[in-house]
Amino acid sequence: AATVRVGQWFGQRNWAEIRQAAWVSVGMAIAFTAVMTLILLSRLPQIIGLYLDIDDPVNAEVVGASMVLMTVAAFGQILDGIQRTANGVLQGLQDTRMPMLMGAIAYWGIGLAMSYLLGFHTPLQGAGVWIGYYTGTLGAAIAFVWRFQRLMFKKN
């Protein structure tokens, strides 16, 4: 939706509406993913209970690990919503080459390196892999929002 809205205004060269469409889109992504995060966090045992008997002592270790991983993923979806929406905004501006390079650096440079370090060289293990991944996602989100701001600064 962000791509289409921004793209429509870009075709008309209406910079004020581009800004509004972009920020409303990112804001809605943050709001929606924050609400979904709260719902997910408030129902973790019930969700895990769909797959495992959480009261069975045999499953205690897996249930504990699942709680940690799902908590990390719940917060990570907010970052993912921001970066995906900001990337969509840039696509609406027909800016794809630089975001691709930024994404590659964020995911392969930052995310993969952090996943490896946190997952295999700290006690975080599996959660460290996810935290590393979301560190890369955060890097992409920051880069895409920065890129949008930079492109809009030129249009004043």
Side-chain angles (χ1 to χ4, degrees), residues 53-84:
D53 180 2
I54 61 174
D55 296 322
D56 188 345
V58 172
N59 296 331
E61 188 175 339
V62 175
V63 169
S66 298
M67 296 284 281
V68 171
L69 291 174
M70 288 186 68
T71 300
V72 172
F75 286 106
Q77 76 179 351
I78 297 171
L79 299 173
D80 194 44
I82 296 168
Q83 72 88 21
R84 287 182 186 272

Side-chain angles (χ1 to χ4, degrees), residues 28-153:
M28 291 298 292
I30 292 168
F32 179 77
T33 55
V35 168
M36 292 299 108
T37 295
L38 292 174
I39 291 170
L40 179 61
L41 291 174
S42 71
R43 300 285 181 236
L44 280 180
Q46 292 87 348
I47 294 169
I48 295 168
L50 293 171
Y51 303 97
L52 294 169
D53 180 2
I54 61 174
D55 296 322
D56 188 345
V58 172
N59 296 331
E61 188 175 339
V62 175
V63 169
S66 298
M67 296 284 281
V68 171
L69 291 174
M70 288 186 68
T71 300
V72 172
F75 286 106
Q77 76 179 351
I78 297 171
L79 299 173
D80 194 44
I82 296 168
Q83 72 88 21
R84 287 182 186 272
T85 305
N87 192 25
V89 165
L90 294 173
Q91 289 175 358
L93 293 173
Q94 298 180 355
D95 183 34
T96 56
R97 186 168 294 151
M98 185 58 73
M100 180 193 66
L101 294 172
M102 293 170 146
I105 292 167
Y107 286 114
W108 291 98
I110 299 169
L112 186 62
M114 290 300 293
S115 290
Y116 174 74
L117 290 173
L118 295 174
F120 297 100
H121 296 287
T122 71
L124 293 172
Q125 298 177 328
V129 172
W130 280 75
I131 292 168
Y133 166 76
Y134 286 121
T135 303
T137 303
L138 174 63
I142 291 169
F144 296 157
V145 169
W146 172 83
R147 176 75 175 169
F148 172 73
Q149 286 289 88
R150 186 166 178 256
L151 291 174
M152 289 295 97
F153 179 76

